[in-house]
Amino acid sequence: MHKHLTIMTMLVVGTSTLLQQAQAAQNLSSLMVEIRQQDGIPHYYNLASGMPLNGEISIIRENQGYTQATFSQGLPNGRWQVFHPNNAKLIEGQYFQGYQNGSWRMYDLSGQMTELQVLNESVFYRSGNKQLVKRFYASGKLKASETYTNNLRHGQWQSFYENGTQAQSQQYANNQLFGEYLEQNAQGVIKVKGQFDANGQRQGVWQSFFDDGSKESETRFSAGERDGESLKYHPGGELAVKCAYRAGKRQGQCQTFDDKGVLLGNEHFNDGEKDGIQEYFNSEGKLVIEQHYKNGLQTGVQKRFHPNGQLAELETFHDSQVSDNGQYPRHGKYERFDIDGK
């Protein structure tokens, strides 16, 4: 598990002759227990005989509290329970061949469970309600922390890389995402940041970043939908895409650029569909394709150009009558030209 429970502190010096509730086959004072580390695993021995502990044993502490445990050749192997002097159970769980296994529970003196550990996870309770969950790496380092109110997600949730750097941070209000959101890489460089509205939807400006910290994208949201200008960048910082959105759909002009700033595409949209003139350019900035669309369908004159700017192809589509296949049919002649325009 993520940490070694405070069981060892429950086994320190002490002796008692009163143990009415202990049902184990043997009673042994904690003063007579020797713990030897073998390959990082604690082995338990009877100090008087030098023999490893076996079977069910009650280890009695000075304050009259006790631990009921099962051993196999010195290794904890089976049920493990720790009791207060008033016989109230404080800890219970299972060992398998010296390793904590399965579920472990911690209790207060009233018998109320205060923490549940399952493998690399701890769950803390207050008045019977889940309040905090902590998850851990096998190394024992914190992996995640989650807060609750009345068993609902509420407050800050965080996750971490094993090196301790925060990986993600987000806020909840009554089980709903709300407020600031943050993602980072293992070096602590911000990868994504933005905000959620009261309905758990993206709101306002959201940004993403490359691993070197330079901006990768910037998009405006309203009620979870892209709304307004959206920008994407090349790793070197040059603008790659600039588009306008309305209610989650492309609206108006959308441009793309290469990493040298040359315009490659100049498109126009209406309600998410190509509409109007569409222009595409080569790396030298020369026009190579000119198309016309209406509500997502090619219509009117379509042109292709040779690298020298001469017209290469010309075809025309109908602009009012849609055929059975849902497209505007070709209308008029189709022409092709060589690089000299012939």
Side-chain angles (χ1 to χ4, degrees), residues 159-195:
S159 62
F160 301 87
Y161 295 101
E162 198 163 2
N163 67 3
T165 302
Q166 185 183 65
Q168 187 181 61
S169 175
Q170 56 196 22
Q171 304 285 331
Y172 284 92
N174 297 318
N175 223 38
Q176 183 67 67
L177 279 169
F178 175 73
E180 294 182 356
Y181 177 87
L182 180 71
E183 288 182 24
Q184 298 186 137
N185 65 17
Q187 289 71 48
V189 176
I190 294 174
K191 293 291 293 179
V192 179
K193 67 177 181 180
Q195 287 200 346

Coordinates of all heavy atoms in Angstrom, one line a residue, residues 159-195:
S159 N -4.2 16.0 -9.1 CA -3.4 14.8 -9.4 C -1.9 15.2 -9.5 O -1.7 16.4 -9.8 CB -3.9 14.0 -10.6 OG -3.8 14.8 -11.7
F160 N -1.0 14.3 -9.3 CA 0.4 14.6 -9.3 C 1.2 13.5 -10.0 O 0.8 12.4 -10.1 CB 0.9 14.7 -7.8 CG 0.2 15.7 -7.0 CD1 -1.0 15.3 -6.3 CD2 0.7 17.0 -6.9 CE1 -1.7 16.3 -5.5 CE2 0.0 17.9 -6.1 CZ -1.2 17.6 -5.4
Y161 N 2.3 14.0 -10.6 CA 3.3 13.1 -11.1 C 4.1 12.5 -9.9 O 4.1 13.0 -8.8 CB 4.3 13.8 -12.1 CG 3.6 14.3 -13.3 CD1 3.2 15.6 -13.5 CD2 3.3 13.4 -14.4 CE1 2.6 16.1 -14.6 CE2 2.7 13.9 -15.5 CZ 2.3 15.2 -15.6 OH 1.7 15.7 -16.8
E162 N 4.8 11.4 -10.2 CA 5.5 10.8 -9.1 C 6.6 11.6 -8.5 O 7.1 11.4 -7.4 CB 6.0 9.4 -9.5 CG 6.4 8.5 -8.3 CD 6.5 7.0 -8.7 OE1 6.4 6.7 -9.9 OE2 6.8 6.2 -7.8
N163 N 7.1 12.6 -9.4 CA 8.1 13.5 -8.9 C 7.6 14.6 -8.0 O 8.3 15.5 -7.6 CB 8.9 14.1 -10.1 CG 8.1 15.0 -10.9 OD1 6.9 15.3 -10.7 ND2 8.7 15.5 -12.0
G164 N 6.3 14.6 -7.8 CA 5.7 15.6 -6.9 C 5.1 16.8 -7.6 O 4.3 17.6 -7.0
T165 N 5.3 16.9 -8.9 CA 4.8 18.0 -9.7 C 3.3 17.8 -9.9 O 2.8 16.7 -10.2 CB 5.5 18.2 -11.0 OG1 6.9 18.3 -10.8 CG2 4.9 19.3 -11.8
Q166 N 2.5 18.9 -9.7 CA 1.1 18.8 -9.9 C 0.8 18.6 -11.4 O 1.3 19.2 -12.3 CB 0.4 20.1 -9.5 CG -1.1 20.1 -9.6 CD -1.7 21.5 -9.3 OE1 -1.5 22.5 -10.0 NE2 -2.4 21.5 -8.2
A167 N 0.0 17.6 -11.7 CA -0.4 17.2 -13.1 C -1.7 17.9 -13.5 O -1.8 18.3 -14.6 CB -0.5 15.7 -13.2
Q168 N -2.7 17.9 -12.6 CA -4.0 18.5 -12.9 C -4.6 19.1 -11.7 O -4.4 18.6 -10.6 CB -4.8 17.3 -13.5 CG -6.2 17.8 -14.0 CD -7.0 16.6 -14.6 OE1 -7.3 15.7 -13.8 NE2 -7.3 16.6 -15.8
S169 N -5.4 20.1 -11.9 CA -6.1 20.7 -10.8 C -7.5 21.2 -11.3 O -7.5 21.9 -12.4 CB -5.3 21.9 -10.2 OG -6.1 22.6 -9.2
Q170 N -8.5 20.9 -10.6 CA -9.9 21.3 -11.1 C -10.7 21.5 -9.8 O -10.5 20.9 -8.8 CB -10.5 20.3 -12.0 CG -10.6 18.9 -11.5 CD -10.8 17.9 -12.6 OE1 -10.5 18.1 -13.8 NE2 -11.3 16.7 -12.3
Q171 N -11.8 22.2 -10.0 CA -12.7 22.6 -8.9 C -14.1 21.9 -9.1 O -14.5 21.9 -10.3 CB -12.9 24.1 -8.7 CG -11.6 24.9 -8.5 CD -11.0 24.7 -7.1 OE1 -11.8 24.5 -6.2 NE2 -9.7 24.8 -7.0
Y172 N -14.7 21.5 -8.0 CA -16.1 21.0 -8.1 C -16.9 21.8 -7.1 O -16.5 22.2 -6.1 CB -16.1 19.5 -7.7 CG -15.6 18.6 -8.8 CD1 -14.3 18.2 -8.9 CD2 -16.5 18.1 -9.8 CE1 -13.9 17.3 -9.9 CE2 -16.1 17.2 -10.8 CZ -14.8 16.8 -10.8 OH -14.3 16.0 -11.8
A173 N -18.2 21.9 -7.5 CA -19.2 22.5 -6.6 C -20.4 21.6 -6.7 O -21.1 21.5 -7.8 CB -19.6 23.9 -7.0
N174 N -20.7 20.9 -5.6 CA -21.9 20.0 -5.6 C -21.9 19.0 -6.8 O -22.9 18.9 -7.5 CB -23.2 20.8 -5.5 CG -23.3 21.6 -4.3 OD1 -23.0 21.2 -3.2 ND2 -23.7 22.8 -4.4
N175 N -20.8 18.3 -6.9 CA -20.6 17.3 -7.9 C -20.5 17.8 -9.4 O -20.5 17.0 -10.3 CB -21.7 16.3 -7.9 CG -21.3 14.8 -8.0 OD1 -20.2 14.5 -7.5 ND2 -22.0 14.0 -8.7
Q176 N -20.3 19.1 -9.5 CA -20.3 19.7 -10.9 C -19.0 20.5 -11.0 O -18.6 21.2 -10.2 CB -21.4 20.7 -11.1 CG -21.5 21.3 -12.5 CD -21.8 20.3 -13.5 OE1 -22.9 19.7 -13.6 NE2 -20.9 20.0 -14.4
L177 N -18.3 20.2 -12.2 CA -17.1 21.0 -12.4 C -17.4 22.5 -12.4 O -18.4 22.9 -13.0 CB -16.5 20.6 -13.8 CG -15.6 19.4 -13.9 CD1 -15.3 19.0 -15.3 CD2 -14.3 19.6 -13.1
F178 N -16.5 23.3 -11.8 CA -16.8 24.7 -11.8 C -15.5 25.5 -11.5 O -14.7 25.0 -10.7 CB -17.8 25.0 -10.6 CG -18.0 26.5 -10.4 CD1 -18.7 27.2 -11.3 CD2 -17.5 27.1 -9.3 CE1 -18.9 28.6 -11.1 CE2 -17.7 28.5 -9.1 CZ -18.4 29.2 -10.0
G179 N -15.2 26.6 -12.2 CA -14.1 27.4 -11.9 C -12.8 27.0 -12.7 O -12.9 26.4 -13.8
E180 N -11.7 27.3 -12.1 CA -10.4 27.2 -12.9 C -10.0 25.7 -13.1 O -10.2 24.8 -12.2 CB -9.3 27.9 -12.1 CG -9.5 29.4 -12.1 CD -8.3 30.1 -11.4 OE1 -7.4 29.4 -10.9 OE2 -8.3 31.3 -11.3
Y181 N -9.4 25.5 -14.2 CA -8.9 24.1 -14.6 C -7.5 24.3 -15.1 O -7.1 25.3 -15.8 CB -9.8 23.5 -15.7 CG -9.2 22.2 -16.2 CD1 -9.6 21.0 -15.6 CD2 -8.4 22.1 -17.3 CE1 -9.2 19.8 -16.0 CE2 -7.9 20.9 -17.7 CZ -8.3 19.7 -17.1 OH -7.8 18.5 -17.5
L182 N -6.6 23.3 -14.7 CA -5.2 23.4 -15.0 C -4.6 22.0 -15.3 O -4.9 21.1 -14.5 CB -4.4 24.1 -13.9 CG -2.9 24.3 -14.1 CD1 -2.6 25.4 -15.1 CD2 -2.3 24.7 -12.7
E183 N -3.8 21.9 -16.3 CA -3.0 20.7 -16.6 C -1.5 21.2 -16.8 O -1.3 22.2 -17.4 CB -3.4 20.0 -17.9 CG -4.7 19.3 -17.7 CD -5.1 18.6 -19.0 OE1 -4.2 18.2 -19.8 OE2 -6.3 18.3 -19.3
Q184 N -0.6 20.4 -16.3 CA 0.8 20.6 -16.4 C 1.6 19.4 -16.8 O 1.1 18.3 -16.6 CB 1.4 21.2 -15.1 CG 0.8 22.5 -14.6 CD 1.5 23.0 -13.4 OE1 1.8 24.2 -13.3 NE2 1.8 22.2 -12.4
N185 N 2.8 19.5 -17.4 CA 3.6 18.4 -17.7 C 4.5 18.1 -16.4 O 4.4 18.8 -15.4 CB 4.4 18.5 -18.9 CG 5.4 19.6 -18.9 OD1 5.8 20.1 -17.8 ND2 5.9 20.0 -20.0
A186 N 5.3 17.0 -16.5 CA 6.0 16.6 -15.3 C 7.1 17.6 -14.9 O 7.6 17.6 -13.8 CB 6.7 15.3 -15.6
Q187 N 7.4 18.6 -15.8 CA 8.4 19.6 -15.5 C 7.7 20.9 -14.9 O 8.4 21.9 -14.6 CB 9.2 20.0 -16.7 CG 10.2 18.9 -17.2 CD 9.5 17.7 -17.8 OE1 8.6 17.8 -18.6 NE2 9.9 16.5 -17.3
G188 N 6.4 20.8 -14.8 CA 5.6 22.0 -14.2 C 5.2 23.0 -15.2 O 4.8 24.1 -14.9
V189 N 5.4 22.7 -16.5 CA 5.0 23.6 -17.6 C 3.5 23.5 -17.8 O 3.0 22.3 -18.0 CB 5.8 23.4 -18.9 CG1 5.3 24.3 -20.0 CG2 7.3 23.6 -18.7
I190 N 2.8 24.6 -17.9 CA 1.3 24.5 -18.1 C 1.0 24.0 -19.5 O 1.6 24.4 -20.5 CB 0.7 25.9 -17.9 CG1 0.8 26.4 -16.5 CG2 -0.8 25.9 -18.3 CD1 0.4 27.8 -16.3
K191 N 0.1 23.0 -19.6 CA -0.3 22.4 -20.8 C -1.7 22.9 -21.3 O -1.9 23.2 -22.4 CB -0.3 20.9 -20.7 CG 1.1 20.3 -20.6 CD 1.9 20.4 -21.8 CE 1.3 19.6 -22.9 NZ 2.1 19.7 -24.2
V192 N -2.6 23.0 -20.3 CA -4.0 23.5 -20.6 C -4.4 24.3 -19.4 O -4.2 23.9 -18.2 CB -4.9 22.3 -20.8 CG1 -6.3 22.8 -21.1 CG2 -4.5 21.4 -21.9
K193 N -5.1 25.4 -19.7 CA -5.8 26.1 -18.6 C -7.0 26.8 -19.2 O -7.1 27.2 -20.3 CB -4.8 27.2 -18.0 CG -4.4 28.3 -18.9 CD -3.6 29.3 -18.1 CE -3.2 30.5 -19.0 NZ -2.3 31.5 -18.2
G194 N -8.0 26.9 -18.3 CA -9.3 27.5 -18.7 C -10.2 27.5 -17.5 O -9.8 27.4 -16.3
Q195 N -11.5 27.7 -17.8 CA -12.5 27.8 -16.7 C -13.8 27.1 -17.1 O -14.1 27.1 -18.3 CB -12.8 29.3 -16.3 CG -11.7 30.0 -15.6 CD -12.2 31.2 -14.8 OE1 -13.3 31.7 -15.1 NE2 -11.4 31.7 -13.9

